[in-house]
Amino acid sequence: EVQLVESGGGLVQPGGSLRLSCAASGFTFSGYYMHWVRQTPGKGLVWVADIDTDGGTTTYADSVKGRFTISRDNAKNTLYLQMNSLRDEDTAVYYCARDHGAFNAWGRGTLVTVSS
Amino acid sequence: DIVMTQSPDSLAVSLGERATINCKSSQSVLYSSSNKNNLAWYQQKPGQPPKLLIFWASARESGVPDRFSGSGSGTDFTLTISSLLAEDVAIYYCQQYYSFPWTFGQGTKVELK
């Protein structure tokens, strides 16, 4: 069974940092591009970043470029999102998702709250 | 960025009746080389992540009931639930994966009448 399990969310002050993880199982992780997508009540679903199969190519939404870094460890079947210089507007549930053209597998998400 | 606009924002449908959701993209998401539309539909129930229903605008994901169907091409797309069940109450999103940044529609809430 395909499983994606996010962790690492929590409450952080503006300007702070968090590192999210997404543990993958049930499929050949190294064979898939992976994404982070976030969701807020006000702005709906917003794509954040993606990474190719070996981690050599990454792409970011303009809103997080220069602040967030997506990476992966194929030996550990884990996807990461390093989030620095966090802002109030980064508050959201963060999902990791598997790329098969569309996103055909999602984790249950981890909540990030940026607040003083 | 490609803007995805769904209509209506919400929809109340009786059990067994048809539900139709529209999605319009600000530019074509049809790849001429493959003749495929890079358009997906997702269903999201409260407290759950989105679930892929339809990809390439009209291909049903494995395990998705055949009452769900997708149609359209270029910039105009439709998700149809042919006969609504109670378990179909959810928010539905369209998404383009034609060009970065991937973008989603604002969502359509389907409720029971």
Side-chain angles (χ1 to χ4, degrees):
Chain A
E1 179 196 1
V2 172
Q3 275 205 312
L4 297 169
V5 180
E6 302 92 341
S7 60
L11 175 63
V12 60
Q13 292 188 338
S17 298
L18 274 180
R19 189 200 200 198
L20 306 184
S21 298
C22 168
S25 60
F27 66 102
T28 304
F29 178 71
S30 60
Y32 289 85
Y33 281 50
M34 296 294 296
H35 299 256
W36 288 98
V37 177
R38 66 187 182 186
Q39 185 170 33
T40 61
K43 287 202 169 185
L45 290 162
V46 177
W47 172 81
V48 172
D50 84 340
I51 188 166
D52 69 355
T53 54
D54 65 5
T57 301
T58 58
T59 314
Y60 298 91
D62 285 347
S63 58
V64 307
K65 203 173 294 183
R67 300 188 299 123
F68 290 11
T69 302
I70 187 172
S71 62
R72 66 191 298 159
D73 185 335
N74 286 342
K76 294 183 177 179
N77 291 336
T78 303
L79 176 72
Y80 302 100
L81 186 67
Q82 177 66 44
M83 305 187 296
N84 298 332
S85 303
L86 282 162
R87 306 167 180 167
D88 290 350
E89 56 264 34
D90 295 319
T91 294
V93 174
Y94 285 75
Y95 297 102
C96 61
R98 186 179 75 172
D99 186 322
H100 195 63
F103 301 157
N104 70 346
W106 297 66
R108 296 197 67 84
T110 187
L111 176 62
V112 172
T113 304
V114 184
S115 175
S116 54
Chain B
D1 297 4
I2 297 178
V3 177
M4 308 300 290
T5 304
Q6 293 180 228
S7 61
D9 289 334
S10 64
L11 184 60
V13 179
S14 300
L15 290 173
E17 295 300 305
R18 178 184 299 259
T20 301
I21 301 168
N22 300 302
C23 174
K24 189 173 184 67
S25 57
S26 61
Q27 64 188 76
S28 176
V29 297
L30 173 64
Y31 258 127
S32 54
S33 56
S34 64
N35 200 36
K36 288 183 175 180
N37 290 279
N38 288 27
L39 188 284
W41 289 97
Y42 300 88
Q43 175 194 65
Q44 188 176 32
K45 297 180 180 179
Q48 296 185 19
K51 173 189 172 185
L52 178 64
L53 297 176
I54 303 286
F55 58 98
W56 303 133
S58 61
R60 203 176 296 114
E61 175 72 343
S62 175
V64 172
D66 60 7
R67 64 181 181 274
F68 292 93
S69 63
S71 62
S73 185
T75 62
D76 292 281
F77 301 91
T78 300
L79 174 70
T80 302
I81 309 172
S82 60
S83 180
L84 193 81
L85 301 183
E87 66 199 50
D88 301 333
V89 169
I91 300 175
Y92 293 83
Y93 297 92
C94 61
Q95 179 227 347
Q96 65 82 18
Y97 49 99
Y98 177 86
S99 68
F100 285 110
W102 304 152
T103 47
F104 294 84
Q106 80 277 17
T108 295
K109 188 173 187 178
V110 174
E111 301 171 302
L112 287 178
K113 185 186 288 184

